[in-house]
Amino acid sequence: MRYNPRETEQKWQELWNSKKSFEAKEPSAVAVAPTAGPVVRSTEASQQQGAEQSRQKKYFVLSMFPYPSGRIHMGHVRNYTLGDVVARLRRAQGFNVLHPMGWDAFGLPAENAARERGISPKQWTYDNIATMRGELKRIGLSIDWSRELATCDTTYYKHQQKLFLDFYKKGLAYRRKSFVNWDPIDETVLANEQVIDGRGWRSGALVEKRELSQWFFKITAYADDLLQSLTSLDRWPEKVRLMQENWIGKSEGAKINFRIVSGAVAVAPLGAEQSHSINVFTTRPDTLFGASFIAISAGHPMAKERAKSNPALDAFIIECNKIGNTAAAIETAEKQGFDTGLTVAHPFIAGKTLPVYVANFVLMDYGTGAIFGCPAHDQRDYEFATKYGLEIIQVVQERNEATKERSDDTLSALRPCGPSPLPYTGDGMLINSEFLNGLDVTAAKKTAIEKLKAMGIGQGVTQFRLRDWGVSRQRYWGCPIPIIHCTACGVVPVPESQLPIVLPEDADFTKGGNPLDHHPTWKHVNCPSCNAPAMRETDTCDTFVDSSWYYARFCSPHNADEPVTKSATDYWLPVDQYVGGVEHAILHLLYSRFFTRAMNETGHVSLKEPFAGLFTQGMICHESYKDEHGKWLYPEEMQKQPDGTAINVKTGKPVTVGRVEVMSKSKKNVVDPGRIIDAYGADTARLFMLSDSPPERDLEWTESGVDGAWRYVQRLWRLVDEEPFASLLSTTPSVHPGEGRDPAIRKVIHKTIAEVTDHLQRFAFNSAVAAVRKLTNTLEEYAADKNANGATFREGIEAITRLISPMLPHIASEMWEKLGHQTMLVDEAWPIADPALLIDNVVTIAVQVNGKLRATIELPRDCAKDQAEKIALSQEAVQRALNGATPKKVIIVPNKIVNVVA
RNA sequence: GCGGGCGUGGCGGAAUUGGUAGACGCGCUGGAUUUAGGUUCCAGUGGGGUGACUCGUGGGGGUUCAAGUCCCUCCGCCCGUACCA
């Protein structure tokens, strides 16, 4: 009978659910029973494994929780399938597995829905969650649904507010002024993605930068630790660690005060000292003699001060503010500067002055918001100097052979090598630099800093690129920040007894701005300390805050009194395997690492690194289609013709088949997971996700690939249901394992068990699938043989059934039942290969002549080198290739290769 | 701009440490069986050459007995860039 995925998948999902198969055991349950074996054990292999276990080990598998956008997409299916394979494998290997699911439920789209369609963010969100939960369940994931949480539940964000207060008390949360994108028409703050070409996405108004008081988390307090600890994350992808390292961006440099010598404003609101000098950060103090200008950010206090009396400068600053808030926009914009008329004294060259510019490429958030420009040795400074006709003085020259060892200052006059093309940013020797002449860059940096220090105008500093984390959002649908502002008492934390601060449900979304701010009553409260009328903080938390600690909450999701339960986090954390997209490589993962440290410092958890293992998956791509008018079409709106072209299903007109691109709603190149599961079943969808493309790489969704997966699922079923397989399986196996069985086939079976286990543990799921398919091919061939042994065949089929079970859990369970077992496959132990069957006595060796393959020979394992050489040289093809020449050298790598060098 | 990644047949990809390039699958070609439901089975399949051979892992250069793998350089695509999540 043909396999019916719809009925079978539902049957097993209901069974797992009713037996609570995937509920994690509480740490107390595991700790109390010293011999607690990993559930039912019925196989020979598990006996060795289970018996000596004194305490069941835990394994925490976490896939990044989804934003409840409305429907699940293929990216979710991939993410959760990958996590599920790990969870099911570890469960079978005897671990107490925690594999939970939740919802990253606060955020902008809910608020947009409210504005566009008048639905309340809460209702919209919970409706979406209900839909998506149903869709997720159909994938057949081994999730412990009893731990489900949503970050917009008051039972979740209540604890987040408590954490905020604890951070505040430790000085890890603070308030300062910072810039936002301001839409003057909608009177609202815009996210970077809502600013398109400098204009608000909805209003089209030119976006301004506006300074607001905002809340920050002091992530920079842990900059060094976050950097140093990266080395301990040995189960993270190297690329993610590198990206984080560069993001934190530790650099050694100097801060230098440049004294203003002319053009200084007489009265300054900043204090006399500041208005008489400009403090600059540089990583290249060695190039000070090449300095030709100072550039300050448009947001620098000095720039603002000068703008008051200079309308042209004011206009320039307004122009700079239009570029936008993103680093990419600022750094790709054409370099522009405005001469402030100020000049500063060169610290080392008496009488020399440098002009001060306001420049659009200097970032206020990094360093001191001011730089000195050395055009000869910096690309940006070079462009700037060329544009504004500023001096370009070379002070570093690449060393050549003649000057390598010398370091006296007569060398600078010698011009020992030809001029390097400027700007030159490499290492070399200092020239044109008085007391630095002849030194290398590193030594010159040190000497320059010493001199600056002695002069009292500078010092060496360590600078991080990492900035404090701005968590304030002027929005409704987020976790309210539990702070009260009182005119008399200032910033007052909400007393813990008053938590949670709950969002009002009657917010008005018809007006612009922050609904919490213009709500008639919500923000008006009495000061907890003096009882006078006061105001609530109306900013809510960045949603990255919500997702920074959800992993810890999963350990005890129902604790009503505290954010986490210590005994639970001590047992379950860290997360053993975290799975999610690379797009989170920096922000989410860095914020979580910070949050864990902050929770550690405030006594909530006892660890610092939340994720011991990390796997970053690739994205899902699909062909894109356009009709004759250039409008995007959904894949189901077109049909491929036999000649390779495509037509519109409705109009019959030709369709342009575009490139394979990341699935996105805007390009309509999406495939709905629900439709695929309806048509083929979850196992087929899962198999397609896992075969072919390695999980870390982008995956191209193709209809033919799905068909291939579908055919394999059907083929697996025939293996237990049809002839000649069914008859072979019905023969009674011997009680003694191995007796009368076919050793050659058993070898293949056990090698496959070892191989698949290894592939799965290394996330090489595509290779694991390939190995199982190969075993399937072998067993089908074997079954066609009239002398095939039934017990051998059964051993092979049972191996396949277990090996595919993490990937195709439904059909594997059904096959297991069909094979006559009373147990549930999900409670069975993972197969273990017999080591004796993994060793080959004969090996195939390649024979090369001058690196080119000429023959292959079969030799006994570990055979003597001279014997290998003799047999290799006796090969006819080898002699032909040698063409009478005598071998000069023979390289032999045992059991692998013989290379004859002629 | 900066940081990170990827590039192998017609296609997705395989190849623990440098050691037989193309496993496994898709597609295609030829044949068989059955055709009421996305069939199934057999054979073939990197390019060139009748063949011995030869050329082949984005382009160019290098190290090595041996390079998909290591080094330099160029090109293309993708991700992140701090208020999308």
Side-chain angles (χ1 to χ4, degrees):
Chain A
M1 236 179 72
R2 200 161 184 197
Y3 178 68
N4 181 339
R6 205 171 303 191
E7 282 170 25
T8 310
E9 292 186 353
Q10 199 187 343
K11 163 184 159 186
W12 288 103
Q13 286 171 16
E14 280 168 8
L15 264 167
W16 297 329
N17 186 44
S18 67
K19 304 245 178 198
K20 300 188 192 306
S21 294
F22 307 124
E23 283 190 15
K25 272 182 265 173
E26 291 297 337
S28 54
V30 181
V32 170
T35 50
V39 279
V40 187
R41 295 296 176 194
S42 65
T43 61
E44 44 207 67
S46 68
Q47 280 162 13
Q48 330 153 357
Q49 196 188 37
E52 67 228 30
Q53 255 173 350
S54 58
R55 184 186 178 184
Q56 193 180 5
K57 280 197 178 156
K58 65 94 184 180
Y59 202 92
F60 188 174
V61 188
L62 185 63
S63 290
M64 290 182 183
F65 65 166
Y67 177 78
S69 57
R71 305 291 300 268
I72 62 164
H73 54 69
M74 281 300 173
H76 293 130
V77 179
R78 192 181 201 192
N79 192 183
Y80 302 135
T81 302
L82 298 177
D84 196 46
V85 172
V86 177
R88 287 178 180 269
L89 169 70
R90 296 302 179 185
R91 225 179 88 79
Q93 287 178 328
F95 290 93
N96 181 22
V97 169
L98 174 57
H99 184 212
M101 183 57 73
W103 308 95
D104 190 10
F106 275 135
L108 215 39
E111 221 161 317
N112 291 336
R115 286 184 203 276
E116 283 158 16
R117 285 176 270 162
I119 319 160
S120 90
K122 185 176 176 177
Q123 197 197 328
W124 184 84
T125 303
Y126 281 103
D127 285 353
N128 286 348
I129 288 174
T131 311
M132 289 174 71
R133 185 192 299 116
E135 290 179 315
L136 279 186
K137 286 194 171 176
R138 293 187 58 207
I139 305 173
L141 305 170
S142 62
I143 281 170
D144 180 353
W145 285 101
S146 73
R147 291 172 187 256
E148 181 182 356
L149 58 82
T151 56
C152 65
D153 294 339
T154 52
T155 52
Y156 183 82
Y157 72 72
K158 168 188 173 179
H159 303 293
Q160 190 163 308
Q161 290 171 340
K162 156 80 172 148
L163 292 172
F164 185 98
L165 293 174
D166 287 351
F167 292 2
Y168 176 74
K169 281 167 201 156
K170 280 269 178 187
L172 293 168
Y174 68 96
R175 220 166 164 242
R176 70 163 157 90
K177 291 208 157 182
S178 162
F179 287 98
V180 294
N181 302 310
W182 179 258
D183 185 320
I185 292 184
D186 283 354
E187 297 196 300
T188 187
V189 177
L190 299 178
N192 284 337
E193 72 155 13
Q194 296 175 319
V195 181
I196 298 148
D197 296 327
R199 291 176 181 275
W201 67 334
R202 227 189 287 274
S203 70
L206 277 175
V207 172
E208 300 164 6
K209 275 181 196 164
R210 186 174 268 208
E211 212 168 23
L212 296 178
S213 274
Q214 307 209 74
W215 288 95
F216 284 81
F217 282 157
K218 210 164 178 41
I219 189 169
T220 54
Y222 300 98
D224 232 339
D225 187 25
L226 288 166
L227 181 67
Q228 298 305 319
S229 303
L230 284 173
T231 53
S232 72
L233 300 174
D234 57 338
R235 289 203 296 116
W236 278 40
E238 180 66 31
K239 59 173 176 181
V240 175
R241 283 183 289 167
L242 247 176
M243 280 190 264
Q244 293 215 350
E245 186 182 322
N246 289 324
W247 184 262
I248 295 167
K250 184 175 184 173
S251 60
E252 305 287 342
K255 278 188 179 167
I256 307 166
N257 267 307
F258 285 82
R259 185 169 51 85
I260 295 173
V261 290
S262 73
V265 179
V267 183
L270 306 155
E273 204 179 308
Q274 267 190 329
S275 68
H276 286 105
S277 68
I278 295 173
N279 194 20
V280 155
F281 172 75
T282 181
T283 56
R284 296 296 303 270
D286 55 308
T287 63
L288 254 172
F289 283 95
S292 57
F293 65 95
I294 298 286
I296 62 175
S297 164
H300 196 282
M302 187 80 68
K304 289 184 193 166
E305 189 186 306
R306 296 290 292 182
K308 283 179 195 158
S309 57
N310 187 340
L313 175 57
D314 196 44
F316 178 76
I317 292 172
I318 291 169
E319 274 310 300
C320 288
N321 285 345
K322 282 181 189 166
I323 294 174
N325 255 343
T326 69
I330 291 165
E331 287 176 44
T332 48
E334 198 198 338
K335 310 222 167 347
Q336 287 195 316
F338 186 97
D339 191 343
T340 59
L342 288 169
T343 55
V344 298
H346 192 289
F348 295 154
I349 307 171
K352 177 162 183 156
T353 61
L354 307 173
V356 177
Y357 281 78
V358 173
N360 63 359
F361 61 87
V362 180
L363 302 167
M364 192 59 224
D365 289 317
Y366 182 63
T368 59
I371 59 151
F372 80 76
C374 177
H377 305 292
D378 182 277
Q379 182 65 42
R380 286 178 304 183
D381 296 351
Y382 185 82
E383 282 171 39
F384 192 80
T386 312
K387 185 166 178 177
Y388 293 101
L390 299 164
E391 260 188 306
I392 299 172
I393 309 156
Q394 185 176 359
V395 291
V396 180
Q397 194 159 51
E398 201 172 355
R399 279 187 188 272
N400 63 12
E401 288 305 311
T403 57
K404 239 175 194 163
E405 301 303 323
R406 296 176 62 180
S407 65
D408 55 284
D409 61 4
T410 55
L411 279 171
S412 61
L414 294 173
R415 286 263 164 193
C417 39
S420 323
L422 298 181
Y424 173 69
T425 53
D427 198 1
M429 185 188 79
L430 271 287
I431 57 168
N432 299 329
S433 297
E434 298 183 12
F435 61 92
L436 299 177
N437 280 342
L439 296 176
D440 283 325
V441 166
T442 317
K445 281 180 181 173
K446 211 178 141 211
T447 309
I449 290 169
E450 279 164 12
K451 179 88 175 178
L452 289 164
K453 210 171 169 184
M455 293 167 72
I457 53 167
Q459 76 243 323
V461 289
T462 300
Q463 186 74 37
F464 291 94
R465 209 186 73 100
L466 181 69
R467 310 198 297 254
D468 275 337
W469 174 14
V471 295
S472 276
R473 297 292 181 269
Q474 292 70 39
R475 305 192 206 291
Y476 167 80
W477 194 234
C479 167
I481 292 174
I483 292 288
I484 288 163
H485 299 283
C486 169
T487 34
C489 312
V491 171
V492 183
V494 171
E496 277 174 34
S497 59
Q498 290 177 23
L499 298 183
I501 308 301
V502 179
L503 289 167
E505 296 203 16
D506 55 348
D508 178 6
F509 292 93
T510 58
K511 287 190 267 183
N514 180 357
L516 284 182
D517 195 39
H518 55 60
H519 188 275
T521 56
W522 188 80
K523 69 177 173 183
H524 300 287
V525 286
N526 290 337
C527 172
S529 114
C530 72
N531 210 34
M535 300 275 219
R536 272 196 202 293
E537 172 64 68
T538 57
D539 284 355
T540 50
C541 287
D542 175 10
T543 54
F544 274 126
V545 179
D546 313 335
S547 54
S548 287
W549 68 286
Y550 77 113
Y551 72 91
R553 183 69 184 164
F554 275 135
C555 301
S556 54
H558 307 300
N559 185 336
D561 305 319
E562 293 165 301
V564 294
T565 309
K566 201 93 192 266
S567 59
T569 51
D570 282 347
Y571 175 73
W572 287 114
L573 296 182
V575 174
D576 295 278
Q577 187 61 60
Y578 197 30
V579 187
V582 238
E583 62 273 21
H584 296 291
I586 295 173
L587 293 181
H588 163 61
L589 290 166
L590 197 60
Y591 290 152
S592 292
R593 295 181 62 218
F594 157 74
F595 221 86
T596 309
R597 282 165 173 75
M599 285 174 78
N600 178 301
E601 194 161 324
T602 49
H604 292 282
V605 295
S606 45
L607 81 167
K608 288 204 310 189
E609 288 296 345
F611 312 121
L614 173 70
F615 186 87
T616 55
Q617 93 211 35
M619 282 170 304
I620 316 268
C621 302
H622 196 277
E623 274 182 342
S624 52
Y625 311 100
K626 277 184 179 175
D627 69 8
E628 71 274 22
H629 307 298
K631 286 180 76 177
W632 298 106
L633 293 174
Y634 285 107
E636 57 269 29
E637 291 178 313
M638 70 93 218
Q639 194 166 36
K640 284 269 173 82
Q641 300 298 104
D643 62 354
T645 62
I647 55 156
N648 189 322
V649 179
K650 281 186 205 135
T651 63
K653 296 221 169 112
V655 167
T656 315
V657 178
R659 332 180 318 182
V660 173
E661 294 185 75
V662 174
M663 279 192 182
S664 80
K665 276 185 195 155
S666 62
K667 285 175 186 150
K668 295 193 174 176
N669 60 339
V670 290
V671 176
D672 175 30
R675 222 193 76 224
I676 298 298
I677 294 172
D678 283 342
Y680 299 94
D683 281 339
T684 297
R686 293 169 65 117
L687 180 61
F688 176 75
M689 286 289 175
L690 298 166
S691 25
D692 295 357
S693 288
E696 69 277 12
R697 248 194 268 176
D698 288 353
L699 173 142
E700 187 192 337
W701 185 272
T702 59
E703 208 62 34
S704 55
V706 179
D707 285 339
W710 162 261
R711 281 201 295 268
Y712 184 66
V713 172
Q714 293 297 333
R715 196 172 148 203
L716 281 171
W717 183 245
R718 285 199 297 273
L719 234 37
V720 294
D721 188 56
E722 279 183 13
E723 290 307 325
F725 317 115
S727 303
L728 266 177
L729 290 168
S730 65
T731 50
T732 321
S734 159
V735 256
H736 307 291
E739 195 184 63
R741 297 191 195 176
D742 207 316
I745 296 295
R746 292 196 74 219
K747 256 189 152 164
V748 178
I749 294 166
H750 284 258
K751 275 185 177 177
T752 305
I753 291 171
E755 204 181 333
V756 170
T757 308
D758 186 48
H759 285 317
L760 290 180
Q761 283 168 348
R762 288 172 28 220
F763 270 83
F765 299 146
N766 54 327
S767 299
V769 171
V772 180
R773 291 186 96 127
K774 203 172 180 177
L775 177 59
T776 311
N777 293 344
T778 306
L779 289 175
E780 280 187 355
E781 263 173 56
Y782 181 66
D785 184 344
K786 282 207 172 67
N787 301 318
N789 167 273
T792 312
F793 185 73
R794 171 172 279 269
E795 187 177 353
I797 296 299
E798 295 203 343
I800 285 179
T801 306
R802 291 159 187 256
L803 291 176
I804 54 150
S805 67
M807 301 176 266
L808 309 178
H810 309 93
I811 192 169
S813 296
E814 190 70 11
M815 286 165 76
W816 190 249
E817 193 180 76
K818 180 85 176 172
L819 286 163
H821 295 282
Q822 303 300 308
T823 55
M824 285 222 286
L825 182 58
V826 291
D827 295 330
E828 281 294 317
W830 190 249
I832 290 171
D834 179 350
L837 290 167
L838 301 178
I839 302 154
D840 285 314
N841 298 318
V842 176
V843 289
T844 308
I845 286 173
V847 183
Q848 298 179 336
V849 177
N850 290 330
K852 281 184 183 168
L853 181 73
R854 295 298 171 185
T856 56
I857 52 176
E858 306 256 295
L859 291 177
R861 160 171 281 274
D862 297 326
C863 98
K865 280 196 177 186
D866 54 347
Q867 196 195 344
E869 179 175 337
K870 206 173 129 196
I871 297 170
L873 286 171
S874 72
Q875 297 298 302
E876 196 191 317
V878 172
Q879 285 306 319
R880 195 162 52 227
L882 281 171
N883 197 20
T886 339
K888 286 186 194 132
K889 198 160 125 189
V890 179
I891 290 149
I892 298 166
V893 181
N895 302 324
K896 279 220 169 118
I897 204 165
V898 176
N899 190 9
V900 182
V901 185

